[in-house]
Amino acid sequence: MTTTRPDGGDPPTGPCPHQLARLYGPQPDTGLDELWEGLRERHGAVAPVELEDGVRVWVLLGYHENLTVLRNQRLFSRDTRRWREVVEGRVDLATSRPMLSWRPNALYSDGPQHTRLRTPIVDALARVDLTATERVVRRISDDLVDAFVAEGRADLVAEFAGPLPVLVVNRLYGLSDSYGHMLGDLTSIVFEEDTKRGSDAVSRLQQYFAGLVVRKRERPGADLVSWMLAHPVGLSDHEVAHQAALINNASHQPTTHLIGNTVRTLLTDPAIRQAQADARVSIQDLLDHVMWTDMPFQLLPARFALQDVRIGGADVRAGDALLIGFAPGHRDPAVRHAPESGDSGIALGNRAHLMFGAGPHACPARELARMIAAVAVRTLTERLTGLRLAVPPEDLRMVPSVFVRGLRELPVAFVPGEPLRQARPDPAARGSRCPAPRPAAEDHREPDLLDRLLSWWRGPRQKA
């Protein structure tokens, strides 16, 4: 699978400088599956591409190649500062896409430092009561549905799948929903292709998490941030802020698009929908199917070779970047022809997908993420009678990103129903039909950094 190159051997070739496929510029609304297959035909399991003008990287197209790189911390680093393009001055991490920058968190570290930063995250998440949190997720899901159920139509990305995960995480931070709507807004911008807007959103997110840590240091509670602050590893406030930001960033978009892609599958595949309605396929099996066939990410940055290495037939040089190819890896002919179950077309019980990563950086919140997505899908199928697409399937548009694999919108129609609870109007909610946030418990204290940030965020929405 991988072999290091002995000293004195032929020099590695690196990504070919001519006729490279470009991963920048306009992207097709239908996604990039044709690009991945074309690259696989030309190059095999590992392909050279151009990430930006003049910035060459490798894309891992093979399932086993992805798994090897994810698991091998000895040969492949997650630290962006090891990228040769950075070392030699061709890429400035301070001005690059937010997803390609460097942050002092567990995602961008290796070895003992990675263990030190990751352990408080893992231990804090282990303290979350999943049974109680499932009730919270259902309550938030119902509130979101209440905001549009009487109208008989909705965009399930903007009005449901988008806000739900970040509202849940925000509750796990011990904050009211006002802050959650703001956090969701800012996090979504980070994943856009607009570098300037992304950089501005990153700055505001840093303020959010700095303010969150200050508040929890002064008034700790039974929440993720307070638990990380009290952890015996002894992280600084700055480090805790970055680990809290990582939890949010790693959970928001993947869960949003897992929900959206799963609902799209139900609404466009009659066999799967019937099997789910007849209880022949569980929601958990359905989620695994979507994680294989339509997972929320196409690519993720990146691993960086620590020495010259040959993988998937490609000669990779020390310092080269390798993009993790989730979508192409799942389309690898070596793994995609798994045995299917009955007439639903779903391979039951197959959880070898790469949705939650592998190796030292594997997602520590997979059960939480699965639970949120399962509750979300169950809420929609139980409460929206006659749920159907409001546009032809071919009119659904993908997010214009080489990284994210999900829908810009998911317009649906259904039989109008009755809200379970009366929603209170709130101009600060992300959309005019979002439910009112829960009142903050600290209404009578002096405004702090979080409050000032919330006032800034509310301003444009109150004028709209």
Side-chain angles (χ1 to χ4, degrees), residues 145-293:
V145 171
D146 278 354
F148 58 73
V149 67
E151 299 190 34
R153 59 181 179 83
D155 173 2
L156 291 185
V157 171
E159 298 176 63
F160 184 83
L164 175 61
V166 75
L167 286 171
V168 174
V169 170
N170 188 73
R171 293 280 191 94
L172 294 176
Y173 294 152
L175 296 179
S176 62
D177 288 354
S178 297
Y179 303 100
H181 289 294
M182 172 180 67
L183 180 60
D185 238 6
L186 295 173
T187 306
S188 297
I189 294 171
V190 170
F191 286 89
E192 294 178 358
E193 293 294 288
D194 188 325
T195 303
K196 174 64 166 63
R197 275 171 52 85
S199 297
D200 291 344
V202 167
S203 297
R204 297 293 183 178
L205 284 170
Q206 290 171 346
Q207 294 176 35
Y208 171 96
F209 288 105
L212 172 60
V213 169
V214 168
R215 184 179 292 185
K216 293 302 174 179
R217 177 68 78 183
E218 295 175 353
R219 295 181 294 278
D223 56 75
L224 292 176
V225 176
S226 298
W227 293 333
M228 288 193 289
L229 284 168
H231 196 278
V233 162
L235 298 184
S236 68
D237 287 7
H238 179 70
E239 288 173 325
V240 171
H242 278 281
Q243 309 325 304
L246 173 59
I247 292 172
N248 173 64
N249 293 341
S251 63
H252 183 195
Q253 291 287 306
T255 312
T256 288
H257 293 301
L258 177 58
I259 296 167
N261 293 354
T262 301
V263 175
R264 175 178 61 175
T265 297
L266 279 174
L267 299 184
T268 57
D269 191 317
I272 290 178
R273 181 165 187 165
Q274 189 61 53
Q276 198 277 325
D278 294 343
R280 289 181 285 118
V281 171
S282 70
I283 288 181
Q284 292 293 344
D285 286 328
L286 174 61
L287 290 174
D288 284 315
H289 172 76
V290 173
M291 291 183 213
W292 268 112
T293 61

Side-chain angles (χ1 to χ4, degrees), residues 115-133:
T115 301
R116 176 177 173 273
L117 295 174
R118 178 182 167 94
T119 300
I121 297 175
V122 173
D123 291 349
L125 288 169
R127 296 180 66 173
V128 173
D129 183 336
L130 286 181
T131 301
T133 303

